[in-house]
Amino acid sequence: QVQLVESGGGLVQAGGSLRLSCAASGRTFSRYAMGWFRQPPGREREFVAAIRRSGATTVYADSVRGRFTISRNNAKNTVYLQMNSLKPEDTAVYYCAVGTVYGSSADEYDYWGQGTQVTVSS
């Protein structure tokens, strides 16, 4: 069992930045791929970014590539999402997830955090 707790969400103006953190319980954090997903108001959950166990490889959704950066610190059992040049369409609840398979499908992830709200005003 892995428990995840996200933090760092909030209200920011368009063009601003936020950094989300996701702290994981357990001593096997480094064995898992990590992903960030988001659910905009009234829409389905969508993939944002993922990172391999070692942190050497990352993948991003087209909508955030070049603006968002996913990273991890296995010594701190934490994954991060640095979000720059935020747009109103980035408004969503952001979730981190843990999985044994690295990918962009929510079905590939086994454990999920409770989510953190990000609101970008125009």
Side-chain angles (χ1 to χ4, degrees):
Q1 186 86 14
V2 177
Q3 293 183 325
L4 304 171
V5 178
E6 300 100 336
S7 61
L11 174 64
V12 63
Q13 289 187 332
S17 298
L18 283 174
R19 189 175 84 152
L20 305 183
S21 299
C22 174
S25 65
R27 294 177 290 179
T28 59
F29 176 79
S30 62
R31 296 183 183 180
Y32 295 101
M34 300 293 298
W36 284 99
F37 291 77
R38 67 186 182 185
Q39 187 164 14
R43 292 169 55 184
E44 297 292 316
R45 189 172 298 188
E46 62 187 33
F47 170 74
V48 175
I51 187 166
R52 286 193 185 275
R53 294 176 295 176
S54 67
T57 306
T58 58
V59 62
Y60 297 91
D62 290 343
S63 58
V64 307
R65 188 177 295 112
R67 300 188 297 121
F68 291 11
T69 302
I70 187 172
S71 61
R72 65 190 295 164
N73 184 328
N74 286 342
K76 294 185 177 181
N77 283 9
T78 302
V79 63
Y80 306 96
L81 185 68
Q82 177 67 44
M83 305 186 295
N84 299 329
S85 302
L86 283 161
K87 305 175 181 180
E89 51 263 44
D90 294 318
T91 295
V93 178
Y94 283 72
Y95 299 88
C96 68
V98 164
T100 54
V101 178
Y102 166 80
S104 60
S105 172
D107 293 340
E108 296 169 321
Y109 292 85
D110 303 307
Y111 301 100
W112 294 79
Q114 82 288 350
T116 185
Q117 177 70 46
V118 171
T119 303
V120 184
S121 63
S122 58

